[in-house]
Amino acid sequence: MADSIMSKAATMEIPINSNGDTGTLPEDDSLEQDLQQVMVSGPNLNETSIVSGGYGGPAGGIIPTSSIKGPAVRFNPEYLDRRRAHAPGPDIRMKSRGAGLSKSQSAASQLAQHTDHVHCSFLFLSLLGSSNNNTGNSTEEVSRGVAVEKLDSVKKWGINTYKCTKQMFSERFGRGSRTVDLELEAQIDVLRETKNKYENILRLATALISHFQSMVQTQQALGDSFTELSQKSPELQDEFGYNAETQKLLCRNGEALLSAINFFVSSIDTLVNKTMEDTLMTIKLYENTRLEFDAYRSDLEELSLSPRDAAAMVRIEMAQHDYQIHRDKYERLRSDVTIKLKFLEENKVKVMHKQLLLFHNAISAYFAGNQEQLEQTLIQFNVKLKPPGSDKPSWLEEQ
């Protein structure tokens, strides 16, 4: 109740005119005068005070600013007149903005295109880098796999070489056993002995060709000398002529015999250095396989005699597996050697029968002076007669 009365009293102290404006008070008159003075002469900073408290606070909150000095602000009424005198028009700043708008838009579009290009380039380089990384990783994995395979092969080769070397020394010193096929070993020994004998025949036949060719060349030179002397010696023309004809005939027969012997040597060379050598290469592989088989067999026998624990049983199973692999390989190569020896024997008999018959008939016909039989022998065995000087290189080959 008391509060409402006090609020009414305070309200009644503020006079209101008919227009709703506040009445003229002494404080309002002083404030209006101060504002007019500020508008005319500017604020007087020397008389300004800073109030640190609230409105109506104590005087202790007033801080005098007489020490602050600054220029006075003066009111210029002509400034407003000049502002009103100018007609409204387009703003200069808007013109400048409008003039530079197209340039700004083009620059912005170029900047956007450049940004897109840079972004695409960055994406391309990122994809390329990722692809290069993937390629590098795959290449590294492949190279690592190859290295591991090589390492495993070297490891297996070392173990195999050690076992075979151990088996070989055991056999030589009589402390190890070896697998022997008596029938096959006898055939192999016969083949090696036959090859050595055939190589001797080949060597002797080659020497015969060399010597006989020298004799034919000598007969050719001798016949040419007789022909030349028959022309320069009228008194001995007939005698030199007979001898010249005889030497030329011997020379022709000698060339025919050389063709037969060359054919004989060529066939023997093919038989010895190709057919027999191929069989001997298979025999060499068979012997190496036999050594490996005996090495793994001995290893399995040693493991079988050792104590049977879990680790030993695993080693025995692995040794049994390796033993079976080498046994199959050994059996396969032994079968190959047996078949090749059989075919070689048949081929040898067939070839040598033909070549020995050719050699006999050619030699007999030549030394018997039977030219017709010699030529018939060459035709029978399809031997082509080489012309004189065919063994010499041509002029183009010499160049």
Side-chain angles (χ1 to χ4, degrees):
M1 187 70 181
D3 294 336
S4 62
I5 294 173
M6 290 297 295
S7 61
K8 292 181 178 180
T11 304
M12 292 175 67
E13 290 178 354
I14 302 173
I16 303 298
N17 56 13
S18 61
N19 295 326
D21 297 331
T22 59
T24 303
L25 295 176
E27 292 84 3
D28 296 333
D29 295 338
S30 63
L31 178 61
E32 184 176 0
Q33 292 177 1
D34 291 337
L35 290 174
Q36 291 178 359
Q37 183 180 0
V38 168
M39 296 298 292
V40 174
S41 60
N44 188 2
L45 298 177
N46 294 329
E47 297 178 358
T48 303
S49 301
I50 299 175
V51 179
S52 62
Y55 179 77
I62 300 174
I63 301 174
T65 59
S66 60
S67 61
I68 302 174
K69 297 181 180 181
V73 179
R74 296 181 182 275
F75 175 72
N76 189 1
E78 297 178 357
Y79 176 74
L80 295 176
D81 296 335
R82 289 196 302 270
R83 295 279 294 178
R84 295 188 186 96
H86 294 288
D91 193 357
I92 298 175
R93 291 176 295 178
M94 294 301 294
K95 288 183 180 181
S96 62
R97 291 176 182 175
L101 182 60
S102 61
K103 296 181 180 180
S104 300
Q105 290 178 354
S106 62
S109 63
Q110 292 178 0
L111 180 60
Q113 292 177 359
H114 179 68
T115 304
D116 294 338
H117 177 70
V118 171
H119 183 63
C120 293
S121 300
F122 178 75
L123 290 177
F124 175 73
L125 291 176
S126 299
L127 294 175
L128 183 61
S130 62
S131 64
N132 290 334
N133 291 332
N134 295 332
T135 305
N137 293 332
S138 61
T139 305
E140 184 178 359
E141 291 177 358
V142 170
S143 61
R144 187 182 296 111
V146 172
V148 171
E149 290 179 359
K150 290 184 178 180
L151 184 61
D152 292 339
S153 63
V154 171
K155 181 179 178 181
K156 292 179 180 179
W157 175 83
I159 295 174
N160 188 40
T161 303
Y162 167 74
K163 291 183 178 181
C164 293
T165 305
K166 180 181 177 182
Q167 178 66 24
M168 182 178 62
F169 279 104
S170 298
E171 292 177 1
R172 288 189 177 182
F173 289 104
R175 292 181 297 179
S177 60
R178 54 171 298 185
T179 303
V180 179
D181 189 340
L182 297 178
E183 183 179 359
L184 186 60
E185 292 292 336
Q187 293 178 2
I188 292 173
D189 292 339
V190 170
L191 174 60
R192 287 188 174 132
E193 185 179 359
T194 303
K195 184 175 182 293
N196 292 331
K197 293 180 179 180
Y198 277 48
E199 286 177 348
N200 187 32
I201 292 175
L202 183 62
R203 187 165 48 251
L204 295 175
T206 304
L208 177 61
I209 289 175
S210 178
H211 297 312
F212 196 78
Q213 188 172 7
S214 299
M215 187 185 71
V216 170
Q217 291 176 357
T218 304
Q219 289 176 347
Q220 180 70 32
L222 187 58
D224 294 338
S225 298
F226 286 155
T227 302
E228 183 180 359
L229 289 173
S230 65
Q231 295 175 0
K232 293 183 179 180
S233 302
E235 65 279 4
L236 297 174
Q237 183 177 5
D238 295 336
E239 288 78 1
F240 281 123
Y242 298 152
N243 285 279
E245 291 296 331
T246 302
Q247 295 300 322
K248 288 179 181 180
L249 180 60
L250 291 174
C251 183
R252 286 194 299 268
N253 294 337
E255 291 172 355
L257 181 60
L258 282 174
S259 298
I261 298 176
N262 281 322
F263 187 77
F264 173 80
V265 169
S266 176
S267 300
I268 298 299
D269 181 73
T270 302
L271 178 64
V272 172
N273 295 324
K274 290 185 178 180
T275 308
M276 290 185 178
E277 188 65 27
D278 179 71
T279 305
L280 288 174
M281 288 295 296
T282 307
I283 291 173
K284 186 176 181 180
L285 292 176
Y286 159 75
E287 291 177 347
N288 292 334
T289 305
R290 196 273 313 161
L291 184 64
E292 292 178 359
F293 166 67
D294 286 337
Y296 282 92
R297 179 183 55 79
S298 300
D299 190 16
L300 179 61
E301 291 176 355
E302 291 178 1
L303 290 175
S304 300
L305 297 176
S306 61
R308 298 297 183 89
D309 54 358
M313 293 301 297
V314 172
R315 290 195 297 269
I316 289 174
E317 290 180 359
M318 295 177 62
Q320 182 70 30
H321 180 264
D322 295 337
Y323 165 79
Q324 189 64 35
I325 292 174
H326 287 83
R327 180 181 178 180
D328 295 339
K329 185 178 179 181
Y330 166 74
E331 294 291 341
R332 183 175 63 255
L333 282 175
R334 183 175 65 177
S335 176
D336 294 342
V337 169
T338 303
I339 294 172
K340 282 196 173 185
L341 286 173
K342 182 179 179 180
F343 286 157
L344 176 61
E345 185 65 24
E346 294 177 357
N347 188 27
K348 181 190 70 173
V349 172
K350 182 178 179 180
V351 170
M352 291 306 298
H353 174 76
K354 179 180 178 180
Q355 297 303 318
L356 290 174
L357 184 60
L358 168 65
F359 189 80
H360 174 266
N361 293 339
I363 293 292
S364 300
Y366 172 79
F367 285 101
N370 193 345
Q371 183 179 1
E372 294 180 359
Q373 184 181 358
L374 181 59
E375 293 177 355
Q376 188 65 31
T377 301
L378 297 180
I379 295 172
Q380 179 184 357
F381 293 97
N382 297 322
V383 179
K384 295 181 179 181
L385 182 62
K386 294 183 179 181
S390 61
D391 295 335
K392 295 182 180 179
S394 63
W395 175 83
L396 184 60
E397 293 175 350
E398 289 179 355
Q399 297 301 321

